[in-house]
Amino acid sequence: MRRKTKMIHGGIVGDELTGAVSTPIYQVSTYRQEAVGKFKGYEYSRTGNPTRHALEELIKDLEEGTSGFAFGSGMAAITAVMMLFDSGDHVILTDDVYGGTYRVMTKVLNRLGIDSTFVDTSNLETIEQAIRENTRAIYIETPTNPLLKITDIEGAAKIAKKHNLLTIVDNTFSTPYWQTPITLGADIVLHSATKYIGGHSDVVAGLVVVNSKELAADLHFVQNSTGGVLGPQDSWLLIRGIRTLGIRMEETEHNTVRIVEFLSNHKAVKKVYYPGLSNHPNHDIAKKQGGGFGGMVSFDVGSEENADKLLASVKYFTLAESLGAVESLISVPARMTHASIPAERRAELGITDGLIRISVGLEDAEDLIEDLAHALSSI
Ligand SMILES: *Cc1c(COP(=O)(O)O)cnc(C)c1O
């Protein structure tokens, strides 16, 4: 099955019982047992629910793993994965991971004795240097936010295997339409399905896919024990989102290429960050490991004042956090998603006050470009 077909025919399609083409929403908590312990595969919806199961089978197929798991948010998914580790274990993470991942590692899981080190994983040597005796995993986010740095997944997974570590990849930005980390050697792939997978700014959810029966058993144990499961209605919304993921990612790519070209040639724009640009430092790796470069673009307009002028005049770009939806979104990382990072550290990373991040949506590219052109003319 090719990729777009798999989005539509993957997993469990429809309903065996009635022939319904769409998976029904099994809004149910418990299931009748014919005798003690004799039931039709489901006993209680924290443990398993047919709508959630259909979603979990679908994401498993898309990510080419052995089992899928759906959680109430991306952070619940990440936390459950970290619960595979014990007190005293150590994890190496990408230095500019999603802020919530940084927070849960350094303010919550550290209290339980799970230790973390953040390194520039786009440089494979720094990963190897950070490995300690108690290291259990390498956790990669690629591309990153907001500077779109790329880590070589295959290279990192090779290092991990050599040292007997797990490779975990946050695949939120690329989606399984463009990038399937398990095929590159990763053991666990996870998503904030709130973003491209849901795709319509109407659901908060997380997904995990693992590549072995052992990891599947361990993660199901954690999911059932800690209980951060996704409800049936939201599971259904994600299945619905995935059916159009292929076409949405293709169209996003077309729009983004045109917008990046426009921004790159505009004199009010100091710098454009996009892995699809041939001058991006990891362009070749991005090209090799993903079929496309996605819809996230960052660009620098030089100052906070210029950023504010731009934000005040855009019409189709909604000022909001989040990404990956049908509508285009715009944000200022320094004062929004990355505000909690000290100013000095932000400057080191390149997250300047004039840095703008956009998530390109599915409007007509001409309208989006006209909107940006008009807004940039005010600078
Ligand atoms: C949003 C996001 C998360 C967290 O997901 P939630 O669904 O908001 O809990 C994790 N990783 C990345 C890359 C994200 O963009």
Side-chain angles (χ1 to χ4, degrees), residues 72-76 78 98 101 139 141 143 145 170 172-173 190-195 204-206 322-323:
S73 69
M75 288 320 304
I78 291 165
Y98 177 73
T101 308
Y139 181 105
E141 194 176 307
N145 168 30
D170 182 333
T172 301
F173 273 34
L190 56 88
H191 289 274
S192 168
T194 311
K195 316 296 167 55
V204 172
S322 199
L323 58 109

mmCIF file with all atom_site columns, all heavy atoms in Angstrom, residues 72-76 78 98 101 139 141 143 145 170 172-173 190-195 204-206 322-323, ligand 1:
data_model
loop_
_atom_site.group_PDB
_atom_site.id
_atom_site.type_symbol
_atom_site.label_atom_id
_atom_site.label_alt_id
_atom_site.label_comp_id
_atom_site.label_asym_id
_atom_site.label_entity_id
_atom_site.label_seq_id
_atom_site.pdbx_PDB_ins_code
_atom_site.Cartn_x
_atom_site.Cartn_y
_atom_site.Cartn_z
_atom_site.occupancy
_atom_site.B_iso_or_equiv
_atom_site.pdbx_formal_charge
_atom_site.auth_seq_id
_atom_site.auth_comp_id
_atom_site.auth_asym_id
_atom_site.auth_atom_id
_atom_site.pdbx_PDB_model_num
ATOM   1   N N   . GLY A 1 72  ? -4.278 11.214 26.066 1.00 0.00 ? 72  GLY A N   1
ATOM   2   C CA  . GLY A 1 72  ? -5.093 12.435 26.158 1.00 0.00 ? 72  GLY A CA  1
ATOM   3   C C   . GLY A 1 72  ? -4.408 13.706 25.711 1.00 0.00 ? 72  GLY A C   1
ATOM   4   O O   . GLY A 1 72  ? -5.064 14.738 25.528 1.00 0.00 ? 72  GLY A O   1
ATOM   5   N N   . SER A 1 73  ? -3.092 13.674 25.505 1.00 0.00 ? 73  SER A N   1
ATOM   6   C CA  . SER A 1 73  ? -2.362 14.827 24.947 1.00 0.00 ? 73  SER A CA  1
ATOM   7   C C   . SER A 1 73  ? -0.971 14.343 24.545 1.00 0.00 ? 73  SER A C   1
ATOM   8   O O   . SER A 1 73  ? -0.555 13.229 24.925 1.00 0.00 ? 73  SER A O   1
ATOM   9   C CB  . SER A 1 73  ? -2.217 15.958 25.982 1.00 0.00 ? 73  SER A CB  1
ATOM   10  O OG  . SER A 1 73  ? -1.336 15.574 27.017 1.00 0.00 ? 73  SER A OG  1
ATOM   11  N N   . GLY A 1 74  ? -0.266 15.170 23.805 1.00 0.00 ? 74  GLY A N   1
ATOM   12  C CA  . GLY A 1 74  ? 1.120  14.844 23.463 1.00 0.00 ? 74  GLY A CA  1
ATOM   13  C C   . GLY A 1 74  ? 1.957  14.686 24.730 1.00 0.00 ? 74  GLY A C   1
ATOM   14  O O   . GLY A 1 74  ? 2.779  13.775 24.837 1.00 0.00 ? 74  GLY A O   1
ATOM   15  N N   . MET A 1 75  ? 1.734  15.563 25.713 1.00 0.00 ? 75  MET A N   1
ATOM   16  C CA  . MET A 1 75  ? 2.510  15.489 26.950 1.00 0.00 ? 75  MET A CA  1
ATOM   17  C C   . MET A 1 75  ? 2.199  14.210 27.731 1.00 0.00 ? 75  MET A C   1
ATOM   18  O O   . MET A 1 75  ? 3.094  13.635 28.357 1.00 0.00 ? 75  MET A O   1
ATOM   19  C CB  . MET A 1 75  ? 2.272  16.724 27.826 1.00 0.00 ? 75  MET A CB  1
ATOM   20  C CG  . MET A 1 75  ? 2.906  18.014 27.309 1.00 0.00 ? 75  MET A CG  1
ATOM   21  S SD  . MET A 1 75  ? 4.569  17.840 26.583 1.00 0.00 ? 75  MET A SD  1
ATOM   22  C CE  . MET A 1 75  ? 5.472  17.077 27.921 1.00 0.00 ? 75  MET A CE  1
ATOM   23  N N   . ALA A 1 76  ? 0.943  13.758 27.700 1.00 0.00 ? 76  ALA A N   1
ATOM   24  C CA  . ALA A 1 76  ? 0.606  12.491 28.366 1.00 0.00 ? 76  ALA A CA  1
ATOM   25  C C   . ALA A 1 76  ? 1.343  11.339 27.677 1.00 0.00 ? 76  ALA A C   1
ATOM   26  O O   . ALA A 1 76  ? 1.825  10.401 28.335 1.00 0.00 ? 76  ALA A O   1
ATOM   27  C CB  . ALA A 1 76  ? -0.901 12.258 28.336 1.00 0.00 ? 76  ALA A CB  1
ATOM   28  N N   . ILE A 1 78  ? 4.245  11.547 26.008 1.00 0.00 ? 78  ILE A N   1
ATOM   29  C CA  . ILE A 1 78  ? 5.676  11.666 26.323 1.00 0.00 ? 78  ILE A CA  1
ATOM   30  C C   . ILE A 1 78  ? 5.934  11.170 27.755 1.00 0.00 ? 78  ILE A C   1
ATOM   31  O O   . ILE A 1 78  ? 6.885  10.423 28.011 1.00 0.00 ? 78  ILE A O   1
ATOM   32  C CB  . ILE A 1 78  ? 6.149  13.131 26.129 1.00 0.00 ? 78  ILE A CB  1
ATOM   33  C CG1 . ILE A 1 78  ? 6.121  13.480 24.635 1.00 0.00 ? 78  ILE A CG1 1
ATOM   34  C CG2 . ILE A 1 78  ? 7.543  13.363 26.730 1.00 0.00 ? 78  ILE A CG2 1
ATOM   35  C CD1 . ILE A 1 78  ? 6.216  14.959 24.311 1.00 0.00 ? 78  ILE A CD1 1
ATOM   36  N N   . TYR A 1 98  ? 10.565 20.640 22.394 1.00 0.00 ? 98  TYR A N   1
ATOM   37  C CA  . TYR A 1 98  ? 9.322  21.325 22.752 1.00 0.00 ? 98  TYR A CA  1
ATOM   38  C C   . TYR A 1 98  ? 9.383  21.730 24.238 1.00 0.00 ? 98  TYR A C   1
ATOM   39  O O   . TYR A 1 98  ? 9.827  20.930 25.078 1.00 0.00 ? 98  TYR A O   1
ATOM   40  C CB  . TYR A 1 98  ? 8.153  20.358 22.498 1.00 0.00 ? 98  TYR A CB  1
ATOM   41  C CG  . TYR A 1 98  ? 6.818  20.929 22.888 1.00 0.00 ? 98  TYR A CG  1
ATOM   42  C CD1 . TYR A 1 98  ? 6.223  21.926 22.125 1.00 0.00 ? 98  TYR A CD1 1
ATOM   43  C CD2 . TYR A 1 98  ? 6.157  20.484 24.026 1.00 0.00 ? 98  TYR A CD2 1
ATOM   44  C CE1 . TYR A 1 98  ? 5.003  22.453 22.486 1.00 0.00 ? 98  TYR A CE1 1
ATOM   45  C CE2 . TYR A 1 98  ? 4.931  21.003 24.390 1.00 0.00 ? 98  TYR A CE2 1
ATOM   46  C CZ  . TYR A 1 98  ? 4.363  21.993 23.612 1.00 0.00 ? 98  TYR A CZ  1
ATOM   47  O OH  . TYR A 1 98  ? 3.157  22.519 23.977 1.00 0.00 ? 98  TYR A OH  1
ATOM   48  N N   . THR A 1 101 ? 8.184  19.400 26.914 1.00 0.00 ? 101 THR A N   1
ATOM   49  C CA  . THR A 1 101 ? 9.044  18.227 27.126 1.00 0.00 ? 101 THR A CA  1
ATOM   50  C C   . THR A 1 101 ? 10.182 18.609 28.072 1.00 0.00 ? 101 THR A C   1
ATOM   51  O O   . THR A 1 101 ? 10.500 17.880 29.014 1.00 0.00 ? 101 THR A O   1
ATOM   52  C CB  . THR A 1 101 ? 9.613  17.731 25.776 1.00 0.00 ? 101 THR A CB  1
ATOM   53  O OG1 . THR A 1 101 ? 8.528  17.561 24.870 1.00 0.00 ? 101 THR A OG1 1
ATOM   54  C CG2 . THR A 1 101 ? 10.362 16.424 25.935 1.00 0.00 ? 101 THR A CG2 1
ATOM   55  N N   . TYR A 1 139 ? 16.533 10.810 22.983 1.00 0.00 ? 139 TYR A N   1
ATOM   56  C CA  . TYR A 1 139 ? 15.224 11.356 22.617 1.00 0.00 ? 139 TYR A CA  1
ATOM   57  C C   . TYR A 1 139 ? 15.441 12.511 21.649 1.00 0.00 ? 139 TYR A C   1
ATOM   58  O O   . TYR A 1 139 ? 16.052 13.516 22.000 1.00 0.00 ? 139 TYR A O   1
ATOM   59  C CB  . TYR A 1 139 ? 14.517 11.831 23.892 1.00 0.00 ? 139 TYR A CB  1
ATOM   60  C CG  . TYR A 1 139 ? 13.142 12.412 23.682 1.00 0.00 ? 139 TYR A CG  1
ATOM   61  C CD1 . TYR A 1 139 ? 11.999 11.686 24.031 1.00 0.00 ? 139 TYR A CD1 1
ATOM   62  C CD2 . TYR A 1 139 ? 12.974 13.700 23.172 1.00 0.00 ? 139 TYR A CD2 1
ATOM   63  C CE1 . TYR A 1 139 ? 10.734 12.227 23.862 1.00 0.00 ? 139 TYR A CE1 1
ATOM   64  C CE2 . TYR A 1 139 ? 11.705 14.234 22.996 1.00 0.00 ? 139 TYR A CE2 1
ATOM   65  C CZ  . TYR A 1 139 ? 10.589 13.501 23.346 1.00 0.00 ? 139 TYR A CZ  1
ATOM   66  O OH  . TYR A 1 139 ? 9.334  14.028 23.181 1.00 0.00 ? 139 TYR A OH  1
ATOM   67  N N   . GLU A 1 141 ? 13.984 15.296 18.732 1.00 0.00 ? 141 GLU A N   1
ATOM   68  C CA  . GLU A 1 141 ? 12.887 15.980 18.051 1.00 0.00 ? 141 GLU A CA  1
ATOM   69  C C   . GLU A 1 141 ? 13.493 16.528 16.768 1.00 0.00 ? 141 GLU A C   1
ATOM   70  O O   . GLU A 1 141 ? 14.505 17.223 16.800 1.00 0.00 ? 141 GLU A O   1
ATOM   71  C CB  . GLU A 1 141 ? 12.377 17.110 18.948 1.00 0.00 ? 141 GLU A CB  1
ATOM   72  C CG  . GLU A 1 141 ? 11.045 17.668 18.516 1.00 0.00 ? 141 GLU A CG  1
ATOM   73  C CD  . GLU A 1 141 ? 10.547 18.719 19.497 1.00 0.00 ? 141 GLU A CD  1
ATOM   74  O OE1 . GLU A 1 141 ? 10.483 18.442 20.713 1.00 0.00 ? 141 GLU A OE1 1
ATOM   75  O OE2 . GLU A 1 141 ? 10.245 19.828 19.046 1.00 0.00 ? 141 GLU A OE2 1
ATOM   76  N N   . PRO A 1 143 ? 12.124 17.938 12.653 1.00 0.00 ? 143 PRO A N   1
ATOM   77  C CA  . PRO A 1 143 ? 12.780 19.214 12.872 1.00 0.00 ? 143 PRO A CA  1
ATOM   78  C C   . PRO A 1 143 ? 12.373 19.822 14.218 1.00 0.00 ? 143 PRO A C   1
ATOM   79  O O   . PRO A 1 143 ? 11.334 19.450 14.765 1.00 0.00 ? 143 PRO A O   1
ATOM   80  C CB  . PRO A 1 143 ? 12.243 20.098 11.741 1.00 0.00 ? 143 PRO A CB  1
ATOM   81  C CG  . PRO A 1 143 ? 11.542 19.208 10.792 1.00 0.00 ? 143 PRO A CG  1
ATOM   82  C CD  . PRO A 1 143 ? 11.155 18.003 11.537 1.00 0.00 ? 143 PRO A CD  1
ATOM   83  N N   . ASN A 1 145 ? 11.743 23.252 16.889 1.00 0.00 ? 145 ASN A N   1
ATOM   84  C CA  . ASN A 1 145 ? 10.903 24.425 16.950 1.00 0.00 ? 145 ASN A CA  1
ATOM   85  C C   . ASN A 1 145 ? 11.629 25.490 17.775 1.00 0.00 ? 145 ASN A C   1
ATOM   86  O O   . ASN A 1 145 ? 12.047 25.169 18.875 1.00 0.00 ? 145 ASN A O   1
ATOM   87  C CB  . ASN A 1 145 ? 9.623  23.961 17.666 1.00 0.00 ? 145 ASN A CB  1
ATOM   88  C CG  . ASN A 1 145 ? 8.732  25.080 18.076 1.00 0.00 ? 145 ASN A CG  1
ATOM   89  O OD1 . ASN A 1 145 ? 8.689  26.102 17.446 1.00 0.00 ? 145 ASN A OD1 1
ATOM   90  N ND2 . ASN A 1 145 ? 8.043  24.867 19.167 1.00 0.00 ? 145 ASN A ND2 1
ATOM   91  N N   . ASP A 1 170 ? 10.269 12.320 18.474 1.00 0.00 ? 170 ASP A N   1
ATOM   92  C CA  . ASP A 1 170 ? 9.045  13.126 18.408 1.00 0.00 ? 170 ASP A CA  1
ATOM   93  C C   . ASP A 1 170 ? 8.869  13.520 16.945 1.00 0.00 ? 170 ASP A C   1
ATOM   94  O O   . ASP A 1 170 ? 9.620  14.336 16.416 1.00 0.00 ? 170 ASP A O   1
ATOM   95  C CB  . ASP A 1 170 ? 9.185  14.356 19.316 1.00 0.00 ? 170 ASP A CB  1
ATOM   96  C CG  . ASP A 1 170 ? 7.923  15.222 19.349 1.00 0.00 ? 170 ASP A CG  1
ATOM   97  O OD1 . ASP A 1 170 ? 7.169  15.198 18.350 1.00 0.00 ? 170 ASP A OD1 1
ATOM   98  O OD2 . ASP A 1 170 ? 7.701  15.922 20.350 1.00 0.00 ? 170 ASP A OD2 1
ATOM   99  N N   . THR A 1 172 ? 6.200  14.904 15.475 1.00 0.00 ? 172 THR A N   1
ATOM   100 C CA  . THR A 1 172 ? 5.063  15.818 15.325 1.00 0.00 ? 172 THR A CA  1
ATOM   101 C C   . THR A 1 172 ? 5.162  16.699 14.076 1.00 0.00 ? 172 THR A C   1
ATOM   102 O O   . THR A 1 172 ? 4.186  16.859 13.348 1.00 0.00 ? 172 THR A O   1
ATOM   103 C CB  . THR A 1 172 ? 4.960  16.728 16.571 1.00 0.00 ? 172 THR A CB  1
ATOM   104 O OG1 . THR A 1 172 ? 4.784  15.906 17.723 1.00 0.00 ? 172 THR A OG1 1
ATOM   105 C CG2 . THR A 1 172 ? 3.801  17.690 16.462 1.00 0.00 ? 172 THR A CG2 1
ATOM   106 N N   . PHE A 1 173 ? 6.345  17.268 13.836 1.00 0.00 ? 173 PHE A N   1
ATOM   107 C CA  . PHE A 1 173 ? 6.470  18.252 12.743 1.00 0.00 ? 173 PHE A CA  1
ATOM   108 C C   . PHE A 1 173 ? 6.443  17.605 11.361 1.00 0.00 ? 173 PHE A C   1
ATOM   109 O O   . PHE A 1 173 ? 5.956  18.197 10.413 1.00 0.00 ? 173 PHE A O   1
ATOM   110 C CB  . PHE A 1 173 ? 7.775  19.061 12.902 1.00 0.00 ? 173 PHE A CB  1
ATOM   111 C CG  . PHE A 1 173 ? 7.635  20.261 13.792 1.00 0.00 ? 173 PHE A CG  1
ATOM   112 C CD1 . PHE A 1 173 ? 6.785  20.245 14.881 1.00 0.00 ? 173 PHE A CD1 1
ATOM   113 C CD2 . PHE A 1 173 ? 8.356  21.416 13.546 1.00 0.00 ? 173 PHE A CD2 1
ATOM   114 C CE1 . PHE A 1 173 ? 6.648  21.355 15.709 1.00 0.00 ? 173 PHE A CE1 1
ATOM   115 C CE2 . PHE A 1 173 ? 8.229  22.533 14.360 1.00 0.00 ? 173 PHE A CE2 1
ATOM   116 C CZ  . PHE A 1 173 ? 7.386  22.506 15.443 1.00 0.00 ? 173 PHE A CZ  1
ATOM   117 N N   . LEU A 1 190 ? 6.683  9.178  18.681 1.00 0.00 ? 190 LEU A N   1
ATOM   118 C CA  . LEU A 1 190 ? 5.512  9.764  19.331 1.00 0.00 ? 190 LEU A CA  1
ATOM   119 C C   . LEU A 1 190 ? 5.117  11.063 18.658 1.00 0.00 ? 190 LEU A C   1
ATOM   120 O O   . LEU A 1 190 ? 5.896  11.667 17.914 1.00 0.00 ? 190 LEU A O   1
ATOM   121 C CB  . LEU A 1 190 ? 5.781  9.938  20.825 1.00 0.00 ? 190 LEU A CB  1
ATOM   122 C CG  . LEU A 1 190 ? 6.993  10.743 21.261 1.00 0.00 ? 190 LEU A CG  1
ATOM   123 C CD1 . LEU A 1 190 ? 6.648  12.213 21.366 1.00 0.00 ? 190 LEU A CD1 1
ATOM   124 C CD2 . LEU A 1 190 ? 7.509  10.205 22.582 1.00 0.00 ? 190 LEU A CD2 1
ATOM   125 N N   . HIS A 1 191 ? 3.876  11.460 18.950 1.00 0.00 ? 191 HIS A N   1
ATOM   126 C CA  . HIS A 1 191 ? 3.288  12.649 18.323 1.00 0.00 ? 191 HIS A CA  1
ATOM   127 C C   . HIS A 1 191 ? 2.466  13.447 19.295 1.00 0.00 ? 191 HIS A C   1
ATOM   128 O O   . HIS A 1 191 ? 1.747  12.876 20.118 1.00 0.00 ? 191 HIS A O   1
ATOM   129 C CB  . HIS A 1 191 ? 2.280  12.230 17.235 1.00 0.00 ? 191 HIS A CB  1
ATOM   130 C CG  . HIS A 1 191 ? 2.900  11.646 16.027 1.00 0.00 ? 191 HIS A CG  1
ATOM   131 N ND1 . HIS A 1 191 ? 3.351  12.426 14.993 1.00 0.00 ? 191 HIS A ND1 1
ATOM   132 C CD2 . HIS A 1 191 ? 3.154  10.366 15.686 1.00 0.00 ? 191 HIS A CD2 1
ATOM   133 C CE1 . HIS A 1 191 ? 3.861  11.648 14.069 1.00 0.00 ? 191 HIS A CE1 1
ATOM   134 N NE2 . HIS A 1 191 ? 3.761  10.386 14.460 1.00 0.00 ? 191 HIS A NE2 1
ATOM   135 N N   . SER A 1 192 ? 2.521  14.760 19.117 1.00 0.00 ? 192 SER A N   1
ATOM   136 C CA  . SER A 1 192 ? 1.401  15.569 19.580 1.00 0.00 ? 192 SER A CA  1
ATOM   137 C C   . SER A 1 192 ? 0.423  15.522 18.420 1.00 0.00 ? 192 SER A C   1
ATOM   138 O O   . SER A 1 192 ? 0.596  16.212 17.410 1.00 0.00 ? 192 SER A O   1
ATOM   139 C CB  . SER A 1 192 ? 1.825  17.009 19.850 1.00 0.00 ? 192 SER A CB  1
ATOM   140 O OG  . SER A 1 192 ? 0.640  17.772 20.018 1.00 0.00 ? 192 SER A OG  1
ATOM   141 N N   . ALA A 1 193 ? -0.611 14.681 18.540 1.00 0.00 ? 193 ALA A N   1
ATOM   142 C CA  . ALA A 1 193 ? -1.596 14.541 17.463 1.00 0.00 ? 193 ALA A CA  1
ATOM   143 C C   . ALA A 1 193 ? -2.524 15.755 17.400 1.00 0.00 ? 193 ALA A C   1
ATOM   144 O O   . ALA A 1 193 ? -3.351 15.877 16.500 1.00 0.00 ? 193 ALA A O   1
ATOM   145 C CB  . ALA A 1 193 ? -2.404 13.256 17.654 1.00 0.00 ? 193 ALA A CB  1
ATOM   146 N N   . THR A 1 194 ? -2.344 16.651 18.376 1.00 0.00 ? 194 THR A N   1
ATOM   147 C CA  . THR A 1 194 ? -3.047 17.940 18.396 1.00 0.00 ? 194 THR A CA  1
ATOM   148 C C   . THR A 1 194 ? -2.716 18.740 17.139 1.00 0.00 ? 194 THR A C   1
ATOM   149 O O   . THR A 1 194 ? -3.500 19.580 16.704 1.00 0.00 ? 194 THR A O   1
ATOM   150 C CB  . THR A 1 194 ? -2.534 18.748 19.619 1.00 0.00 ? 194 THR A CB  1
ATOM   151 O OG1 . THR A 1 194 ? -2.583 17.910 20.771 1.00 0.00 ? 194 THR A OG1 1
ATOM   152 C CG2 . THR A 1 194 ? -3.326 20.003 19.849 1.00 0.00 ? 194 THR A CG2 1
ATOM   153 N N   . LYS A 1 195 ? -1.570 18.459 16.544 1.00 0.00 ? 195 LYS A N   1
ATOM   154 C CA  . LYS A 1 195 ? -1.053 19.267 15.445 1.00 0.00 ? 195 LYS A CA  1
ATOM   155 C C   . LYS A 1 195 ? -1.515 18.687 14.103 1.00 0.00 ? 195 LYS A C   1
ATOM   156 O O   . LYS A 1 195 ? -2.694 18.604 13.877 1.00 0.00 ? 195 LYS A O   1
ATOM   157 C CB  . LYS A 1 195 ? 0.467  19.364 15.570 1.00 0.00 ? 195 LYS A CB  1
ATOM   158 C CG  . LYS A 1 195 ? 0.955  19.642 17.017 1.00 0.00 ? 195 LYS A CG  1
ATOM   159 C CD  . LYS A 1 195 ? 0.523  20.992 17.578 1.00 0.00 ? 195 LYS A CD  1
ATOM   160 C CE  . LYS A 1 195 ? 0.724  21.128 19.085 1.00 0.00 ? 195 LYS A CE  1
ATOM   161 N NZ  . LYS A 1 195 ? 2.073  20.877 19.569 1.00 0.00 ? 195 LYS A NZ  1
ATOM   162 N N   . VAL A 1 204 ? -7.060 17.827 21.370 1.00 0.00 ? 204 VAL A N   1
ATOM   163 C CA  . VAL A 1 204 ? -5.742 17.689 22.007 1.00 0.00 ? 204 VAL A CA  1
ATOM   164 C C   . VAL A 1 204 ? -5.512 16.200 22.226 1.00 0.00 ? 204 VAL A C   1
ATOM   165 O O   . VAL A 1 204 ? -6.360 15.521 22.836 1.00 0.00 ? 204 VAL A O   1
ATOM   166 C CB  . VAL A 1 204 ? -5.694 18.452 23.352 1.00 0.00 ? 204 VAL A CB  1
ATOM   167 C CG1 . VAL A 1 204 ? -4.399 18.155 24.110 1.00 0.00 ? 204 VAL A CG1 1
ATOM   168 C CG2 . VAL A 1 204 ? -5.826 19.954 23.111 1.00 0.00 ? 204 VAL A CG2 1
ATOM   169 N N   . ALA A 1 205 ? -4.417 15.661 21.692 1.00 0.00 ? 205 ALA A N   1
ATOM   170 C CA  . ALA A 1 205 ? -4.192 14.218 21.776 1.00 0.00 ? 205 ALA A CA  1
ATOM   171 C C   . ALA A 1 205 ? -2.728 13.871 21.553 1.00 0.00 ? 205 ALA A C   1
ATOM   172 O O   . ALA A 1 205 ? -1.973 14.666 20.989 1.00 0.00 ? 205 ALA A O   1
ATOM   173 C CB  . ALA A 1 205 ? -5.040 13.502 20.710 1.00 0.00 ? 205 ALA A CB  1
ATOM   174 N N   . GLY A 1 206 ? -2.350 12.679 21.995 1.00 0.00 ? 206 GLY A N   1
ATOM   175 C CA  . GLY A 1 206 ? -0.990 12.197 21.777 1.00 0.00 ? 206 GLY A CA  1
ATOM   176 C C   . GLY A 1 206 ? -1.006 10.760 21.283 1.00 0.00 ? 206 GLY A C   1
ATOM   177 O O   . GLY A 1 206 ? -1.929 9.995  21.603 1.00 0.00 ? 206 GLY A O   1
ATOM   178 N N   . SER A 1 322 ? 0.444  26.643 18.887 1.00 0.00 ? 322 SER A N   1
ATOM   179 C CA  . SER A 1 322 ? 0.066  25.445 18.135 1.00 0.00 ? 322 SER A CA  1
ATOM   180 C C   . SER A 1 322 ? 0.424  25.587 16.656 1.00 0.00 ? 322 SER A C   1
ATOM   181 O O   . SER A 1 322 ? 0.961  26.623 16.218 1.00 0.00 ? 322 SER A O   1
ATOM   182 C CB  . SER A 1 322 ? -1.414 25.094 18.285 1.00 0.00 ? 322 SER A CB  1
ATOM   183 O OG  . SER A 1 322 ? -1.611 23.732 17.912 1.00 0.00 ? 322 SER A OG  1
ATOM   184 N N   . LEU A 1 323 ? 0.145  24.534 15.901 1.00 0.00 ? 323 LEU A N   1
ATOM   185 C CA  . LEU A 1 323 ? 0.578  24.457 14.503 1.00 0.00 ? 323 LEU A CA  1
ATOM   186 C C   . LEU A 1 323 ? -0.123 23.286 13.832 1.00 0.00 ? 323 LEU A C   1
ATOM   187 O O   . LEU A 1 323 ? -0.812 22.518 14.487 1.00 0.00 ? 323 LEU A O   1
ATOM   188 C CB  . LEU A 1 323 ? 2.101  24.224 14.456 1.00 0.00 ? 323 LEU A CB  1
ATOM   189 C CG  . LEU A 1 323 ? 2.616  22.957 15.180 1.00 0.00 ? 323 LEU A CG  1
ATOM   190 C CD1 . LEU A 1 323 ? 3.082  21.909 14.205 1.00 0.00 ? 323 LEU A CD1 1
ATOM   191 C CD2 . LEU A 1 323 ? 3.738  23.291 16.131 1.00 0.00 ? 323 LEU A CD2 1
HETATM 192 C C1  . LIG B 2 .   ? 2.610  20.484 20.930 1.00 0.00 ? 1   LIG B C1  1
HETATM 193 C C2  . LIG B 2 .   ? 3.780  19.618 20.991 1.00 0.00 ? 1   LIG B C2  1
HETATM 194 C C3  . LIG B 2 .   ? 3.949  18.680 22.034 1.00 0.00 ? 1   LIG B C3  1
HETATM 195 C C4  . LIG B 2 .   ? 2.976  18.564 23.185 1.00 0.00 ? 1   LIG B C4  1
HETATM 196 O O1  . LIG B 2 .   ? 1.744  18.095 22.751 1.00 0.00 ? 1   LIG B O1  1
HETATM 197 P P1  . LIG B 2 .   ? 0.319  18.458 23.429 1.00 0.00 ? 1   LIG B P1  1
HETATM 198 O O2  . LIG B 2 .   ? -0.643 17.752 22.559 1.00 0.00 ? 1   LIG B O2  1
HETATM 199 O O3  . LIG B 2 .   ? 0.205  19.961 23.387 1.00 0.00 ? 1   LIG B O3  1
HETATM 200 O O4  . LIG B 2 .   ? 0.357  17.956 24.836 1.00 0.00 ? 1   LIG B O4  1
HETATM 201 C C5  . LIG B 2 .   ? 5.049  17.850 21.983 1.00 0.00 ? 1   LIG B C5  1
HETATM 202 N N1  . LIG B 2 .   ? 5.958  17.928 20.992 1.00 0.00 ? 1   LIG B N1  1
HETATM 203 C C6  . LIG B 2 .   ? 5.842  18.823 19.987 1.00 0.00 ? 1   LIG B C6  1
HETATM 204 C C7  . LIG B 2 .   ? 6.866  18.866 18.906 1.00 0.00 ? 1   LIG B C7  1
HETATM 205 C C8  . LIG B 2 .   ? 4.756  19.695 19.956 1.00 0.00 ? 1   LIG B C8  1
HETATM 206 O O5  . LIG B 2 .   ? 4.657  20.594 18.948 1.00 0.00 ? 1   LIG B O5  1
#
